[in-house]
Amino acid sequence: MKEMLIMTPGPTEVAENVRLARAKATTNPDIDLAFYDFYKKTCSKLAQFLKTKNDVRVLAGEGILGLEAACASLTEKGDRVLVLDNGIFGHGFSDFIELYGGEAILLESSGKEAFSLEILEKFLEKDHDFKYATVVHCDTPSGVLNDLSSICPLLKKYGILTVVDSVAAMGGEELQVDKWQIDIALGGSQKVISAPPGLTIASISTEAYQAMTERKSPIASFYCNLLTFKDYYEKNGFHIPCQFLISMD
């Protein structure tokens, strides 16, 4: 039987100290004031890591949760969404878009090379009526790397929101969210970060939040609703002093 060498970027090996840390007893994050501060500090560190001043949130679900959540939160019935398709995960965005009532317009390119900026520019000159566009930073099966530093600013030039799947690249390739004008950047814990599967990292711009709040119809999901995390710290009840919680015991 012929052997095959498959060069994929993960899931990656988890360090022993990380696995041991996961074995420790944990509290209920819903009522633990220490978790509130820990989560906020972690998100702030991730924002620095992603070079952004946008909100950064950690979602309790494998990286695919972030991809669906972005589409669920932005897409309304009839919205035209541009899908830059040069790989399996690039094409896969169309499933989420259509699931939530949008019209996915696929701009296809070879799955063996980075997306051509020239092809994209010529396409947008003729048609740029899109609410948002999706692009994969690094496609998992092929390892093809797309140049976000050029693609996203070009899309924003036409007023198109940008959604980036960086699950396989975040931490291993340069990613400058603000400079490259990325509205929603999505990563996963199980790839370059080398943590166990189960967490999504999401940065969300003010413009992306605005598009969500200005929807004519409510977001058709509870768990995939990114608006849940808007003004999280201001709205959350963890501001209750510890002594108040003790007195309620």
Side-chain angles (χ1 to χ4, degrees), residues 25-233:
T26 58
T27 59
N28 182 349
D30 291 339
I31 58 175
D32 186 355
L33 295 176
F35 176 83
Y36 171 85
D37 293 329
F38 172 77
Y39 181 83
K40 185 174 183 180
K41 185 177 180 180
T42 300
C43 290
S44 296
K45 286 185 175 182
L46 287 169
Q48 295 176 26
F49 174 63
L50 298 176
K51 296 180 175 60
T52 182
K53 294 181 180 178
N54 293 337
D55 278 357
V56 174
R57 299 291 182 259
V58 179
L59 315 182
E62 196 270 337
I64 205 76
L65 168 64
L67 309 188
E68 181 173 350
C71 296
S73 300
L74 288 174
T75 309
E76 291 190 84
K77 187 176 181 179
D79 281 343
R80 298 180 79 239
V81 181
L82 178 61
V83 176
L84 301 190
D85 174 14
N86 67 331
I88 291 175
F89 282 90
H91 183 88
F93 266 113
S94 61
D95 293 333
F96 296 130
I97 293 161
E98 292 169 356
L99 178 66
Y100 291 98
E103 180 185 1
I105 309 298
L106 274 66
L107 181 56
E108 299 176 341
S109 183
S110 170
K112 297 180 180 180
E113 58 188 16
F115 209 93
S116 168
L117 189 68
E118 184 180 356
I119 290 175
L120 176 60
E121 193 158 19
K122 287 181 179 178
F123 177 85
L124 291 173
E125 286 173 359
K126 298 178 181 178
D127 186 3
H128 50 263
D129 182 23
F130 300 103
K131 185 174 187 178
Y132 67 94
T134 65
V135 57
V136 174
H137 192 180
C138 174
D139 196 64
T140 302
S142 67
V144 168
L145 190 69
N146 287 313
D147 182 11
L148 302 181
S149 68
S150 299
I151 291 173
C152 292
L154 177 58
L155 291 165
K156 293 291 286 185
K157 175 184 173 183
Y158 288 93
I160 302 170
L161 294 171
T162 55
V163 174
V164 169
D165 168 3
S166 188
V167 171
M170 186 178 285
E173 291 291 338
E174 184 179 12
L175 182 58
Q176 300 192 42
V177 168
D178 289 354
K179 185 177 180 180
W180 297 351
Q181 302 180 58
I182 302 172
D183 288 295
I184 299 181
L186 303 159
S189 57
Q190 79 278 19
K191 300 290 186 177
V192 181
I193 296 173
S194 297
L199 295 176
T200 289
I201 299 163
S203 71
I204 310 161
S205 73
T206 301
E207 285 187 68
Y209 274 139
Q210 183 178 352
M212 297 174 204
T213 56
E214 292 180 353
R215 292 171 57 110
K216 296 177 182 178
S217 59
I219 295 173
S221 179
F222 177 81
Y223 202 63
C224 292
N225 185 344
L226 291 178
L227 276 181
T228 303
F229 296 90
K230 188 177 185 296
D231 302 323
Y232 170 80
Y233 302 112

